[in-house]
Amino acid sequence: MTHYFLEPVLALCSDRSILAMDNPRMPGPDVWFSDNYIAQFGLTGISFDFFINWISGGLDREVWLKRPINPAAIHDWGLLQDQDIIRALRNDNKFRRLVNFAGKNFCTASAIIFDDLQDWSHESAGLIYAHWPKDASSGQGLRIRRITRAEIEETIRAKSGGAITIGNKGLFYGTSRLECAMSKTNALWPGDADLVLCDNQSLEPIAILEFKKHTQNSKLYFANQCLSNYYPRPDGRKYDRLALLSHQLVPGKQIPVFALYYSTDPTELSVLVEQVKGMAGSLQGAEITRIAIDPTKLAQGLGALVSFILSRAHQNTGGAPLAPLSN
């Protein structure tokens, strides 16, 4: 199958050839919560970018997915026609799943398609804004707009309740050259939900997961990782936005939020799990639990990690924990 889009990659903004460090002995979250693995628990995982209006504190009901094009599959970005985009999105399982998730959770979804090799210093640099209908099985109702960087900045400011910045230096690491460039403007790219664990049939959200990587050159010991190291400073806005998402995504229900800490240090073979509790502006971390991830017994460790999160999530919502499905 032709892959029309590339997955965003976390890399140094100043040199995109330098990728973020990983633990050479332990896989990362993309393996822990891969659909192939969590399907045995009746789960699927959804990731997306989302907006909080920082004036009202309200969640914008449109979620975004960055879709940088694959130059090997799309040879001439400038000649893309609407039917080309429709065909590519129909074959994009990740976006189709987000559309289904959005439709069942009172939201809508848009794909932000772009060639990340273009010069983002120019406000005339282009993107494609594709808004999909709630029914992902049909392309009917799909709205496609070709916009400039200046226009998407205007959209971001409108959805964020005004200008939003992180300082003149911008991001150190980013998932695209676009995101890195916009981090130096007053239209910061919206934050993301690293992963929303959902029932794979109903797509009902069960837990919101935030992954926090500890690096070997950190001044903090891995064992001392906890929310208070980052909240309310320097990452207050990140955690407040997750809290607002947890309270507003599903009307009448609060979705539990968990921070998962892991290390690039090859001697640290475990994940620290901390539930984030409270309201935006006054969040607190609960007791931290260490889950060992032995590379020689990977399935056992990952099973314990998923089962623990499910157990804690269902304690908060009053449901019954999901067990692995029988073959």
Side-chain angles (χ1 to χ4, degrees), residues 25-40:
R25 297 184 59 206
M26 187 180 78
D30 57 330
V31 173
W32 311 341
F33 297 101
S34 67
D35 267 346
N36 288 338
Y37 181 73
I38 63 175
Q40 66 181 301

Side-chain angles (χ1 to χ4, degrees), residues 265-312:
D265 185 340
T267 67
E268 295 288 358
L269 301 177
S270 60
V271 178
L272 304 179
V273 183
E274 180 182 30
Q275 187 171 354
V276 178
K277 294 189 172 184
M279 304 292 290
S282 57
L283 298 173
Q284 293 183 333
E287 180 181 356
I288 295 175
T289 299
R290 181 187 289 264
I291 307 292
I293 308 292
D294 185 340
T296 65
K297 302 175 182 177
L298 192 57
Q300 180 178 329
L302 297 184
L305 177 61
V306 176
S307 296
F308 176 78
I309 292 171
L310 288 177
S311 176
R312 287 296 175 91

Side-chain angles (χ1 to χ4, degrees), residues 50-98:
F50 67 98
F51 290 93
I52 296 295
N53 182 309
W54 292 105
I55 300 299
S56 67
L59 171 69
D60 191 282
R61 305 306 299 189
E62 180 187 9
V63 295
W64 283 7
L65 189 67
K66 293 188 290 290
R67 297 322 263 155
I69 66 164
N70 178 4
I74 300 176
H75 303 291
D76 195 331
W77 159 258
L79 296 179
L80 272 181
Q81 301 297 310
D82 286 3
Q83 287 305 312
D84 299 322
I85 299 166
I86 291 171
R87 182 170 59 253
L89 291 176
R90 279 179 171 165
N91 286 286
D92 184 6
N93 290 334
K94 187 171 184 178
F95 185 56
R96 287 171 61 92
R97 186 171 52 180
L98 178 61

Side-chain angles (χ1 to χ4, degrees), residues 4-5 17 39 69 89 117 131 165 179 203 216 224 253 309:
Y4 294 99
F5 306 112
S17 67
I69 66 164
L89 291 176
L117 296 179
H131 188 73
T165 67
E179 184 181 21
L203 294 180
Q216 288 179 268
N224 294 334
K253 176 184 176 181
I309 292 171

Side-chain angles (χ1 to χ4, degrees), residues 161-202:
I164 184 167
T165 67
I166 57 169
N168 294 332
K169 293 184 178 179
L171 292 173
F172 192 55
Y173 280 87
T175 59
S176 66
R177 294 175 66 249
L178 167 62
E179 184 181 21
C180 289
M182 293 186 63
S183 71
K184 298 179 180 180
T185 73
N186 66 357
L188 184 66
W189 195 269
D192 65 342
D194 283 343
L195 196 72
V196 180
L197 282 180
C198 302
D199 179 277
N200 65 1
Q201 296 298 318
S202 67

Side-chain angles (χ1 to χ4, degrees), residues 76-327:
D76 195 331
W77 159 258
L79 296 179
L80 272 181
Q81 301 297 310
D82 286 3
Q83 287 305 312
D84 299 322
I85 299 166
I86 291 171
R87 182 170 59 253
L89 291 176
R90 279 179 171 165
N91 286 286
D92 184 6
N93 290 334
K94 187 171 184 178
F95 185 56
R96 287 171 61 92
R97 186 171 52 180
L98 178 61
V99 173
N100 283 328
F101 166 84
K104 293 188 177 184
N105 288 283
F106 312 100
C107 296
T108 62
S110 293
I112 309 301
I113 303 169
F114 54 93
D115 178 1
D116 206 33
L117 296 179
Q118 61 188 305
D119 186 353
W120 292 113
S121 65
H122 296 299
E123 290 195 344
S124 59
L127 309 94
I128 294 173
Y129 192 147
H131 188 73
W132 199 266
K134 292 186 178 182
D135 179 8
S137 65
S138 167
Q140 294 182 359
L142 175 64
R143 298 196 303 273
I144 294 174
R145 289 194 293 139
R146 287 165 173 78
I147 60 175
T148 63
R149 198 199 89 175
E151 289 171 318
I152 204 164
E153 286 183 11
E154 184 179 347
T155 299
I156 288 173
R157 286 190 290 268
K159 287 180 172 291
S160 302
I164 184 167
T165 67
I166 57 169
N168 294 332
K169 293 184 178 179
L171 292 173
F172 192 55
Y173 280 87
T175 59
S176 66
R177 294 175 66 249
L178 167 62
E179 184 181 21
C180 289
M182 293 186 63
S183 71
K184 298 179 180 180
T185 73
N186 66 357
L188 184 66
W189 195 269
D192 65 342
D194 283 343
L195 196 72
V196 180
L197 282 180
C198 302
D199 179 277
N200 65 1
Q201 296 298 318
S202 67
L203 294 180
E204 178 184 358
I206 295 171
I208 297 171
L209 308 184
E210 168 69 17
F211 303 126
K212 188 71 174 179
K213 183 185 291 187
H214 168 268
T215 59
Q216 288 179 268
N217 59 2
S218 172
K219 295 179 180 179
L220 298 170
Y221 290 111
F222 177 62
N224 294 334
Q225 290 295 294
C226 62
L227 179 68
S228 60
N229 293 328
Y230 308 101
Y231 185 89
R233 291 182 177 85
D235 294 333
R237 187 162 55 195
K238 173 195 290 186
Y239 290 98
D240 280 343
R241 65 183 293 111
L242 291 174
L244 291 165
L245 176 69
S246 78
H247 283 84
Q248 298 180 51
L249 180 57
V250 178
K253 176 184 176 181
Q254 181 182 353
I255 305 162
V257 178
F258 297 89
L260 276 65
Y261 307 94
Y262 63 107
S263 182
T264 63
D265 185 340
T267 67
E268 295 288 358
L269 301 177
S270 60
V271 178
L272 304 179
V273 183
E274 180 182 30
Q275 187 171 354
V276 178
K277 294 189 172 184
M279 304 292 290
S282 57
L283 298 173
Q284 293 183 333
E287 180 181 356
I288 295 175
T289 299
R290 181 187 289 264
I291 307 292
I293 308 292
D294 185 340
T296 65
K297 302 175 182 177
L298 192 57
Q300 180 178 329
L302 297 184
L305 177 61
V306 176
S307 296
F308 176 78
I309 292 171
L310 288 177
S311 176
R312 287 296 175 91
H314 287 292
Q315 284 178 17
N316 283 267
T317 59
L322 296 176
L325 302 178
S326 59
N327 294 327

